[in-house]
Amino acid sequence: MISETAKKQIGETVSRYPEDQKRSALLPVLHIVQYENNGHLTEALMTEVAEILEISPLQVYEVVTFYTMYNRNPVGKYHIQVCRTLPCALMGAEKLVSYLEEKLGIGCGETTPDRLFTLTEVECLASCGTAPMMQINEDYYENLNKNKVDKILEELRQKAK
Amino acid sequence: MELILFKNMSSPGYTPKISSYLEAGGYQALEKTLKEIQPDQLIEMVKKSGLRGRGGAGFPTGTKWSFIPKTPNLIKYLCCNADEGEPGTFKDRQLMEKDPHQLIEGMIISCYAIGAHTAYIYIRGELVHATRVLEKAISEAKAKGFLGKNILNSGFDIEIYVHRGAGAYICGEETALLESLEGKRGKPRFKPPFPANYGLYGKPTVINNVETLSNIPHIVTHGGEWYAGIGVGKSTGTRLFSLSGHVKKPGNYEVPLGETFRHLIFDLGGGMLNDKKLKAIIPGGASAMVFTEEHLDVKLDFEAVAAAGSMLGSGAVTVMDEETCMVWATLNLMHFFAHESCGKCTPCREGAPWLYKIVHRIEHGEGKMEDLGLLADLCGNIAGKTVCAFGEAEVAPILGTIKYFRNEYEYHIREKKCPIHRSERLATIGFPG
């Protein structure tokens, strides 16, 4: 269920588009709903979004399945997305991924058993001058090395306690 | 040389707040526009400046604006393309995060020029921080009367909204951006009709890149002639180049068009990382054909790069050193293109994964000599056979590397292995322990 707080936010978002173009708010609204649901969307939520925007559920599903930022499966509390595209790869992104896999004990696309971390490889995040880098939830972590990664993971573990 | 776009943010103590921008003379160009300049004069001024789109295609901005019908009372839109996704490009992010009001002022003036009262900034969904900076800046501008109804008592109404995308490279293509903004899958539209006639919600629409729009207040302040006096030939003004890869000082650099790659990489970028030898340069983002050491003295202008067989594209310059395997680098980019193809046109949808598979088997020592012919044949059946320019983009890494580094492909096939041992290679660069 979408909360009343989120519904208020959705109302403000819808008001940014012409009255007969509610569908335009779909991408931003899905961000709001996904954020509130700990980083993923369910079929029930997508249907609810369809009702709010007065479009068919199919029009929501087809958008959710097209854009990579919408998750249809639960993700960990911290979703680690490592940029794998060339500028980062030239600066050791492959090694960064292996290091994270080793540290977390999971492969790409997987979530740790304590549901704290999900690890994903993603394409270019527009941070090529500060490679290698990763995004965790909303934040960018740049110019990474092993020490920095250790520290970041430790801080997040502490924060989650 | 005097900086234009990076001038404010380079001065000590400068913040994204409106107070900083006003102190630096911000929004005076808008006041001048509303008081003294008619929309038509504004379009002429931008035409005279020679400003060309900074997103990749390099289309003259003033000309693009002049295509918008002059019909009064017709709803028109401006969309700022902030879907910066071309691998190697990270300049628009810096412009938005560090000097958001420069962009907003540019957008208000541009709306006035084309007669739009609503503008959207379509920003990459991942750029949450930049989105917050822009939202804050918009509310500040509104509080000061630069946005909203009857701005500065001019009778002109204007609203700007930020719209977050959700991680699809193709939405940087202007008609895919419009589809996405309408709440649909980001699939490019067939052109014509062009957005100037049939854009957002079928209304006349201009789509301009962040850097393009950020130049507008400066052109208004100093005049079209002034801007045209910077740069070279038809490539006027300065440009932001995003320098990445194996260089000592990667980052964004603002330089007048017409400098050389050598100047950018060796003078500004501090030269090669670990003083290795330079092997390859991608001159304008992943969609641009690769250059080699021979091209270091090619000038950074649209025409010179095109004449040398590639494109200046989005201004992303990625540098690779002598120890980089070009087949591996190509494979990396083909993964990108196969992942990002929107799926609308068969040659691109089917072709990109096919190209990826062939390069994959070559890189992993399982390729055959015939594969090189097959790659060329496939590329010829993709480029030019799709609705948008993605087809040309996805074949560029292959065509470029086969042209200049065919011997590396042949080595992989003949010796059944990659000459560069990955784990050893990775021990020497980047991601230090």
Side-chain angles (χ1 to χ4, degrees), chain B residues 168-373:
Chain B
Y169 167 74
I170 194 61
C171 293
E173 197 279 341
E174 60 178 14
T175 58
L177 182 150
L178 296 176
E179 288 286 300
S180 182
L181 189 46
E182 291 181 2
K184 302 169 192 161
R185 286 186 161 203
K187 296 199 175 199
R189 297 174 182 171
F190 191 81
K191 291 190 271 194
F194 289 92
N197 290 306
Y198 191 92
L200 184 64
Y201 315 128
K203 303 284 193 289
T205 304
V206 162
I207 301 119
N208 283 146
N209 164 268
V210 172
E211 184 185 342
T212 313
L213 291 165
S214 297
N215 271 300
I216 301 297
H218 304 286
I219 292 173
V220 169
T221 303
H222 303 288
E225 289 85 0
W226 162 81
Y227 195 82
I230 306 164
V232 55
K234 286 184 188 164
S235 297
T236 61
T238 63
R239 238 195 124 164
L240 305 180
F241 289 97
S242 301
L243 185 62
S244 67
H246 297 145
V247 288
K248 287 200 176 89
K249 290 189 285 179
N252 288 315
Y253 295 97
E254 180 173 12
V255 293
L257 284 156
E259 291 284 357
T260 62
F261 282 97
R262 189 184 299 280
H263 173 65
L264 176 67
I265 296 167
F266 289 91
D267 299 339
L268 302 174
M272 297 297 292
L273 192 64
N274 302 325
D275 298 314
K276 294 261 165 64
K277 214 166 135 315
L278 182 144
K279 185 187 220 173
I281 311 162
I282 299 179
S287 312
M289 293 233 290
V290 76
F291 274 172
T292 67
E293 210 190 349
E294 288 167 34
H295 299 94
L296 274 173
D297 293 310
V298 170
K299 289 197 162 59
L300 293 160
D301 76 67
F302 291 101
E303 281 70 34
V305 175
S310 190
M311 64 168 188
L312 202 53
S314 63
V317 178
T318 303
V319 178
M320 291 174 258
D321 72 16
E322 56 189 325
E323 290 175 15
T324 312
C325 167
M326 295 313 293
V327 179
W328 168 82
T330 307
L331 179 64
N332 181 289
L333 293 178
M334 292 325 294
H335 183 285
F336 172 82
F337 285 113
H339 181 262
E340 299 295 345
S341 172
C342 83
K344 179 166 181 156
C345 312
T346 312
C348 172
R349 180 185 65 238
E350 302 298 319
W354 201 354
L355 292 171
Y356 172 77
K357 276 183 211 160
I358 299 170
V359 180
H360 188 274
R361 71 177 177 240
I362 297 174
E363 166 66 7
H364 291 87
E366 291 156 6
K368 295 169 282 199
M369 279 303 170
E370 305 91 89
D371 283 343
L372 295 177

Side-chain angles (χ1 to χ4, degrees), chain A residues 16-17 24 31 62 65-69 84 86 90-91 94-95 123-124 126 135 138 142 145-146, chain B residues 93 120 124 126 132 162-163 165-167 180-181 184-186 201 246 328 332 335 422 426 429 432:
Chain A
R16 298 173 168 204
Y17 307 93
S24 259
H31 282 306
E62 66 172 7
T65 52
F66 183 82
Y67 295 92
T68 50
M69 284 181 71
R84 62 156 301 282
L86 191 60
L90 290 170
M91 298 307 289
E94 291 173 339
K95 206 160 93 174
E123 300 293 351
C124 191
Q135 179 167 23
E138 295 185 339
E142 304 170 290
N145 57 39
K146 283 186 183 174
Chain B
R93 186 182 146 214
Y120 294 99
R124 286 192 67 151
E126 294 91 341
R132 291 209 179 105
V162 186
H163 180 103
S180 182
L181 189 46
K184 302 169 192 161
R185 286 186 161 203
Y201 315 128
H246 297 145
W328 168 82
N332 181 289
H335 183 285
R422 189 102 351 252
L426 287 176
I429 53 140

Side-chain angles (χ1 to χ4, degrees), chain A residues 83 88-89 92-99 121, chain B residues 328 332 422 426:
Chain A
C83 172
C88 274
E94 291 173 339
K95 206 160 93 174
L96 168 59
V97 171
S98 325
Y99 186 66
E121 274 186 320
Chain B
W328 168 82
N332 181 289
R422 189 102 351 252
L426 287 176

Side-chain angles (χ1 to χ4, degrees), chain A residues 30-156:
Chain A
L30 287 170
H31 282 306
I32 295 169
V33 174
Q34 173 165 284
Y35 182 82
E36 187 182 54
N37 194 45
N38 301 317
H40 83 286
L41 293 164
T42 61
E43 212 174 303
L45 287 171
M46 289 187 255
T47 309
E48 230 184 311
V49 167
E51 280 162 16
I52 294 172
L53 298 181
E54 294 161 20
I55 54 179
S56 80
L58 178 72
Q59 289 171 316
V60 180
Y61 306 153
E62 66 172 7
V63 157
V64 168
T65 52
F66 183 82
Y67 295 92
T68 50
M69 284 181 71
Y70 302 124
N71 304 309
R72 277 164 294 149
N73 290 307
V75 291
K77 188 175 171 65
Y78 300 110
H79 189 182
I80 305 177
Q81 307 193 71
V82 183
C83 172
R84 62 156 301 282
T85 318
L86 191 60
C88 274
L90 290 170
M91 298 307 289
E94 291 173 339
K95 206 160 93 174
L96 168 59
V97 171
S98 325
Y99 186 66
L100 283 164
E101 285 180 333
E102 185 193 306
K103 283 255 347 169
L104 301 170
I106 52 171
C108 276
E110 293 174 357
T111 301
T112 52
D114 60 4
R115 314 239 25 110
L116 214 48
F117 298 103
T118 297
L119 181 62
T120 319
E121 274 186 320
V122 293
E123 300 293 351
C124 191
L125 289 172
S127 185
C128 323
T130 43
M133 63 80 64
M134 61 187 176
Q135 179 167 23
I136 304 180
N137 296 353
E138 295 185 339
D139 300 317
Y140 276 27
Y141 297 86
E142 304 170 290
N143 289 315
L144 295 173
N145 57 39
K146 283 186 183 174
N147 286 339
K148 272 196 189 174
V149 171
D150 290 347
K151 231 178 111 192
I152 293 162
L153 294 182
E154 190 44 41
E155 273 171 19
L156 292 177

